[in-house]
């Protein structure tokens, strides 16, 4: 399970229920899978999870152990909507939810927010280990068959340097961050993977 915690790509596949909220078609066959609405460091943002079914590109993925729906992990990426340059919407986010072994409930265990270099994210990680940092609050989580997921959350973030060739560490003196809002999306069928125990 730990090996699956690589962060998700910030690209994805279809979510018909949310299709009507995009005023223009996304380019190159990409469609919307999910949407984050909230604020990062006090600035209101709307970020979308997108993808392209023909290539199985997906920023919203579900990993399941065997046929046990209570043993799941969601990896979610969301960024700009392709219609705005990075200067207008510089943020992208990545989140990992996984089943808690003690309670069998989904927990939000990693939140990352990027405003520039991929190797210096603002991060909260509640997993035990050397990269444990920040605080995460998860509320109103709702899941359903077919890969639907929605939740409210907030996180106090610490900026880390995770570049290759160095030991990951918080960047001293860098202002901390805060993110809060709501996410809703549906995993495409091809972005669900099942692992046998």
């Amino acid at each position: 399970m730990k090996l699956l915690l690589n962060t998700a790509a910030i690209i994805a596949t279809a979510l018909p229920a949310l299709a009507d909220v995009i005023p223009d078609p996304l380019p190159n066959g990409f469609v919307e899978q999910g949407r984050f609405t909230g604020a990062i460091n006090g600035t209101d943002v709307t970020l979308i999870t997108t993808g392209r079914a023909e290539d199985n590109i997906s920023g919203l993925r579900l990993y399941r152990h065997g046929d046990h729906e209570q043993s799941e992990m969601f990896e979610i990426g969301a960024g700009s909507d392709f219609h705005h340059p990075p200067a207008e919407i510089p943020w992208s986010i990545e989140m990992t939810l996984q089943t808690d072994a003690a309670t069998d409930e989904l927990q939000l265990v990693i939140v990352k927010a990027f405003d520039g270099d991929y190797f210096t994210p603002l991060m909260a990680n509640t997993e035990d280990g050397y990269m444990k940092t920040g605080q995460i609050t998860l509320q109103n989580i709702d899941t359903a068959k077919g890969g639907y997921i929605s939740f409210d959350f907030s996180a106090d973030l610490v900026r880390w340097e995770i570049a290759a060739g160095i030991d990951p560490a918080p960047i001293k003196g860098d202002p901390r961050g805060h993110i809060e809002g709501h996410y809703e999306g549906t995993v495409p069928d091809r972005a669900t993977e099942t692992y046998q125990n």
Side-chain angles (χ1 to χ4, degrees), residues 4 56 61-66 71-73 187-196:
L4 298 175
N56 196 24
R61 303 192 73 87
L62 169 61
Y63 301 95
R64 181 174 292 137
H65 274 244
S71 180
E72 297 177 325
M73 183 178 72
V187 181
D189 289 342
R190 293 175 66 184
T192 297
E193 298 185 34
T194 300
Y195 292 86
Q196 298 299 324

Side-chain angles (χ1 to χ4, degrees), residues 130-150:
Y130 68 97
M131 293 183 73
K132 186 172 183 179
T133 189
Q135 303 271 336
I136 300 174
T137 301
L138 176 67
Q139 295 179 311
N140 303 321
I141 187 165
D142 184 22
T143 60
K145 288 191 175 184
Y148 172 82
I149 185 168
S150 71

Side-chain angles (χ1 to χ4, degrees), residues 32-104:
E32 181 172 351
Q33 286 182 298
R35 176 171 289 234
F36 167 76
T37 53
I40 304 176
N41 290 347
T43 300
D44 291 340
V45 295
T46 298
L47 305 174
I48 65 172
T49 303
T50 61
R52 189 164 57 193
E54 64 191 63
D55 300 322
N56 196 24
I57 296 173
S58 175
L60 175 51
R61 303 192 73 87
L62 169 61
Y63 301 95
R64 181 174 292 137
H65 274 244
D67 295 324
H68 305 292
E69 291 193 8
Q70 71 272 19
S71 180
E72 297 177 325
M73 183 178 72
F74 288 87
E75 288 186 342
I76 301 169
S80 178
D81 62 7
F82 291 92
H83 297 296
H84 298 85
E88 292 182 21
I89 305 178
W91 291 102
S92 61
I93 60 175
E94 294 179 358
M95 298 173 285
T96 300
L97 297 96
Q98 68 180 22
T99 305
D100 183 275
T103 65
D104 284 336

Side-chain angles (χ1 to χ4, degrees), residues 96-188:
T96 300
L97 297 96
Q98 68 180 22
T99 305
D100 183 275
T103 65
D104 284 336
E105 296 178 355
L106 274 173
Q107 301 292 324
L108 180 56
V109 295
I110 299 174
V111 176
K112 293 181 182 178
F114 303 88
D115 56 355
D117 188 342
Y118 182 84
F119 297 105
T120 57
L122 287 163
M123 182 170 65
N125 184 343
T126 63
E127 292 191 297
D128 289 332
Y130 68 97
M131 293 183 73
K132 186 172 183 179
T133 189
Q135 303 271 336
I136 300 174
T137 301
L138 176 67
Q139 295 179 311
N140 303 321
I141 187 165
D142 184 22
T143 60
K145 288 191 175 184
Y148 172 82
I149 185 168
S150 71
F151 54 93
D152 300 316
F153 75 99
S154 65
D156 294 317
L157 310 166
V158 176
R159 193 176 296 279
W160 276 59
E161 186 171 13
I162 55 174
I166 65 168
D167 291 330
I171 299 176
K172 294 181 180 179
D174 192 278
R176 296 182 174 226
H178 182 78
I179 181 172
E180 59 183 69
H182 175 78
Y183 184 84
E184 180 176 6
T186 299
V187 181

